[in-house]
Amino acid sequence: MKISPLQLARYQYQPKLPGMLRNGISEICVKNGDPTESVADQEKIKALFPNTYGKNEITFQKGANTSAAKKQVVGVILSGGQAPGGHNVICGLYDALKATNPENVLYGFKGGPSGLLEDSYVIFEDDYINQFRNTGGFDIIGSGRTKLETEEQFAVVAEVCKKHGITAIVIIGGDDSNTNAAVLAEYFAAHNTGVQVIGCPKTIDGDLKNEDIECSFGFDTATKTYSEIIGNIQRDANSAKKYWHFVKVMGRSASHVALEAALQTQPNICLIGEEVAAKKMSLAQITDYIADSVAARAAKGWNFGVAIIPEGIVEFVPEFSVLIAEINELLAGEKADAFNALPSWEDKYAFIKAGLTEASMAVFAILPQSIQQQLFLERDPHGNVQVSLIESEKLFSAMVKENLAARKAAGNYKGKFSALHHFLGYEGRCAFPSNFDADYCYSLGYNAFMLIQYGFNGYLSKVSNLSKPADEWIAGGMPITKMMNMERRHGHDKPVIRKALVELDGAPFKFFEANRETWAVETCYVYPGAIQYFGPSEVCDLTTRTLALEKA
Ligand code: FBP
């Protein structure tokens, strides 16, 4: 296998641990913090997690290691979408496990949670794991989106653990996967299996965070990668001066990625889904907002610009959500067959018109035909519209084009509008982790093993104080139940980790809000350039603008 020079050089990089974990395994002890409560619905969560609720938060500190010297056999899975740094979580876990006792064993279950259910695994050895140090991707064992949530599945996992003598499972995943980690931990405790469960906070979307978890890993690298590309596009736009670029960026629901990219690059427009929902903005209002910027720049002779569109935007537009719900209803069950049997788009359009309410039809009617057809083509296994597949960057550019044509006809706009489209998502999920993510992930994994070694169950590996240099980071653990509340999911009340959306009164959004009017009209682009792995710390160890503003 040919290895790139960068990959070879990154093998040599030694990730930085929090100062308190740097003294060697024999010098790490536990400092107990306060007992915890869930963020809401305390009585209900307590009743559902009688064995794991209310435990103390803990931090590690320098002192004699007092953990039991039993041999540990640990299993690890990667769950959900790829995020840069996942390999380093496993490397940190492995290094701490082997440093504690060379006889300890680490199993990697393949393909995500299904690997645990199917007992498909590798046993990590130095030669294998060393090929993945400081690299992006999840290819070390693969990932998957199977959900571990039923008692039957838990019983299978318990059997697999028993078969291999596994004493702990580490689940590296997002809010759903860590919710399931908490439920599995409770199951193991209730059934006296003796198996512990530890979670690690992963997702490029940045929506697994709260007062304890400052950020999920992968957000830093993914947003730096997108910002580099957006910066390059801005420079091209400012050079050629003839295109408006509509750039959709990943983030299934929350707009953290879009906001961070905007803070790094200062584009003309960035939509924030949470703001659209709070202000109940309609598609027409959003379109007008973008068209205002296009027109104002055209008046200065600048027929170019850049607009960032978050992937999840349409779900935040109230009238669009209603339209989607009505379409799902319109095509429920066998009605979809009747619809699909109609011979032409005109017939289908008439069927749709007859089935939608007047308000939803008004929304549907203003959509470009390609988007109208997408709404009826792409269905998920439950028959619902797959909102994430809607090309919202094309939706808004088409609507802006029409809006500008109307302005032109009324004599209010004389510019030229030529749009190009981009979707930045998969490009950033497997990038070589930035130094921040390489350090953070390695620390999360190392710390996860310390939590196992000290016997904790149902805890999230927690590394905080992240806006400071790594030697000032604080390592410890927090009961996952602390992050939970009850939410309605698929018709049932369920205990879940609360998803963190962009806070409109938070410092990152406030900074953006205070500057965006200028950015919309002027050309204030910032070109962040590529992630730097070697060089001065102020270039290589930068955290995100989001984290810097939140912690300022
Ligand atoms: P996770 O929440 O599992 O980390 O995944 C997030 C994400 O990258 C979203 O940004 C994106 O919408 C989605 O995964 C894409 O999923 P898939 O990889 O299944 O296409």
Side-chain angles (χ1 to χ4, degrees):
M1 188 176 66
K2 189 163 163 46
I3 296 171
S4 73
L6 179 64
Q7 184 162 332
L8 271 179
R10 287 305 277 172
Y11 286 159
Q12 307 308 319
Y13 180 74
Q14 182 52 50
K16 300 186 269 300
L17 280 171
M20 56 186 55
L21 300 182
R22 287 185 190 175
N23 305 299
I25 294 286
S26 60
E27 287 291 302
I28 301 173
C29 71
V30 172
K31 181 178 170 213
N32 265 315
D34 294 330
T36 55
E37 292 221 310
S38 59
V39 281
D41 307 310
Q42 289 82 8
E43 287 313 311
K44 287 184 182 160
I45 305 282
K46 190 175 176 182
L48 288 164
F49 295 88
N51 296 285
T52 49
Y53 185 85
K55 303 276 185 212
N56 296 46
E57 185 164 343
I58 69 108
T59 46
F60 290 112
Q61 62 181 18
K62 186 172 167 14
N65 187 329
T66 56
S67 65
K70 70 168 181 176
K71 179 182 165 187
Q72 300 281 8
V73 180
V74 177
V76 61
I77 59 166
L78 292 159
S79 181
Q82 283 69 250
H87 288 167
N88 267 25
V89 180
I90 297 179
C91 292
L93 176 65
Y94 177 84
D95 288 353
L97 169 141
K98 289 289 182 189
T100 302
N101 179 353
E103 300 291 306
N104 286 345
V105 182
L106 182 62
Y107 283 76
F109 287 93
K110 292 188 192 168
S114 61
L116 252 178
L117 298 169
E118 291 156 11
D119 195 16
S120 166
Y121 60 86
V122 292
I123 296 177
F124 289 110
E125 305 277 352
D126 287 357
D127 284 352
Y128 184 65
I129 209 159
N130 288 345
Q131 302 168 50
F132 295 95
R133 290 186 186 271
N134 306 305
T135 60
F138 277 7
D139 42 321
I140 188 168
I141 43 173
S143 184
R145 292 197 182 276
T146 302
K147 294 199 183 311
L148 270 186
E149 53 189 354
T150 66
E151 293 254 330
E152 293 73 28
Q153 290 175 321
F154 295 162
V156 174
V157 175
E159 269 309 305
V160 169
C161 291
K162 196 169 162 195
K163 176 175 161 196
H164 300 294
I166 287 175
T167 48
I169 298 281
V170 176
I171 295 181
I172 303 170
D175 52 339
D176 282 344
S177 306
N178 278 295
T179 292
N180 296 339
V183 183
L184 181 62
E186 178 63 31
Y187 175 93
F188 281 163
H191 291 76
N192 289 318
T193 57
V195 183
Q196 302 157 239
V197 181
I198 300 295
C200 286
K202 172 235 73 168
T203 178
I204 63 155
D205 289 4
D207 55 9
L208 174 50
K209 67 172 177 179
N210 46 51
E211 57 175 32
D212 290 291
I213 302 303
E214 293 176 11
C215 73
S216 53
F217 79 75
F219 179 72
D220 185 86
T221 309
T223 53
K224 283 184 171 125
T225 306
Y226 303 145
S227 301
E228 179 207 348
I229 299 171
I230 292 167
N232 294 350
I233 289 171
Q234 289 183 157
R235 204 142 214 173
D236 194 288
N238 197 17
S239 305
K241 302 197 190 297
K242 59 179 180 179
Y243 294 124
W244 262 85
H245 294 265
F246 285 71
V247 187
K248 181 168 79 170
V249 293
M250 249 188 192
R252 190 191 297 274
S253 176
S255 301
H256 298 290
V257 173
L259 178 57
E260 172 62 24
L263 293 170
Q264 288 193 34
T265 61
Q266 304 188 177
N268 305 103
I269 296 288
C270 176
L271 302 179
I272 300 296
E274 292 81 345
E275 182 184 27
V276 165
K279 294 186 175 165
K280 299 190 172 35
M281 290 173 81
S282 65
L283 287 177
Q285 282 171 317
I286 301 170
T287 305
D288 235 2
Y289 167 65
I290 304 174
D292 281 349
S293 165
V294 176
R297 290 176 62 75
K300 290 167 159 260
W302 294 338
N303 290 300
F304 66 94
V306 171
I308 300 180
I309 316 288
E311 184 184 9
I313 188 78
V314 288
E315 280 182 275
F316 287 96
V317 181
E319 59 182 359
F320 207 89
S321 303
V322 175
L323 170 66
I324 301 284
E326 285 188 24
I327 291 176
N328 286 338
E329 189 53 38
L330 193 59
L331 296 195
E334 287 166 9
K335 287 184 268 179
D337 298 334
F339 176 80
N340 290 332
L342 294 169
S344 68
W345 175 243
E346 285 67 35
D347 295 319
K348 288 179 172 158
Y349 197 92
F351 177 97
I352 295 161
K353 199 169 175 186
L356 293 180
T357 59
E358 209 173 305
S360 285
M361 191 56 209
V363 178
F364 187 75
I366 59 169
L367 301 177
Q369 197 187 86
S370 59
I371 302 285
Q372 289 176 336
Q373 290 175 338
Q374 260 174 34
L375 290 175
F376 286 85
L377 280 178
E378 312 283 2
R379 332 281 302 161
D380 73 9
H382 307 287
N384 295 326
V385 174
Q386 293 203 58
V387 182
S388 66
L389 297 183
I390 295 170
E391 294 174 304
S392 43
E393 71 284 22
K394 293 189 182 156
L395 165 69
F396 285 112
S397 89
M399 291 184 69
V400 166
K401 191 173 174 189
E402 268 186 30
N403 182 301
L404 292 170
R407 291 182 191 217
K408 198 166 248 176
N412 299 328
Y413 165 73
K414 293 195 178 61
K416 289 187 196 135
F417 178 73
S418 183
L420 294 176
H421 306 103
H422 315 262
F423 172 38
L424 303 181
Y426 300 95
E427 296 83 343
R429 296 200 313 182
C430 285
F432 279 95
S434 61
N435 284 355
F436 173 84
D437 270 328
D439 298 345
Y440 181 40
C441 291
Y442 188 83
S443 302
L444 285 170
Y446 200 96
N447 188 57
F449 183 72
M450 295 320 301
L451 290 167
I452 292 168
Q453 185 63 17
Y454 272 102
F456 294 103
N457 180 31
Y459 275 64
L460 197 73
S461 177
K462 172 180 166 180
V463 177
S464 55
N465 210 24
L466 296 172
S467 59
K468 294 279 174 9
D471 62 333
E472 293 173 43
W473 289 358
I474 298 166
M478 186 190 55
I480 302 176
T481 50
K482 186 182 174 201
M483 303 189 294
M484 297 179 110
N485 67 168
M486 301 298 293
E487 284 178 24
R488 198 97 185 132
R489 296 270 172 100
H490 307 298
H492 301 281
D493 285 336
K494 291 208 155 188
V496 294
I497 294 175
R498 196 183 261 177
K499 203 180 261 306
L501 299 178
V502 169
E503 286 178 11
L504 301 183
D505 55 1
F509 181 79
K510 285 283 170 207
F511 183 89
F512 167 69
E513 191 182 32
N515 288 285
R516 66 178 162 188
E517 271 177 41
T518 311
W519 299 352
V521 180
E522 304 300 330
T523 300
C524 307
Y525 302 150
V526 175
Y527 313 116
I531 296 174
Q532 300 298 307
Y533 301 95
F534 305 97
S537 179
E538 64 271 22
V539 180
C540 298
D541 296 331
L542 271 183
T543 53
T544 57
R545 295 280 294 129
T546 302
L547 196 56
L549 286 163
E550 279 171 351
K551 297 290 160 195

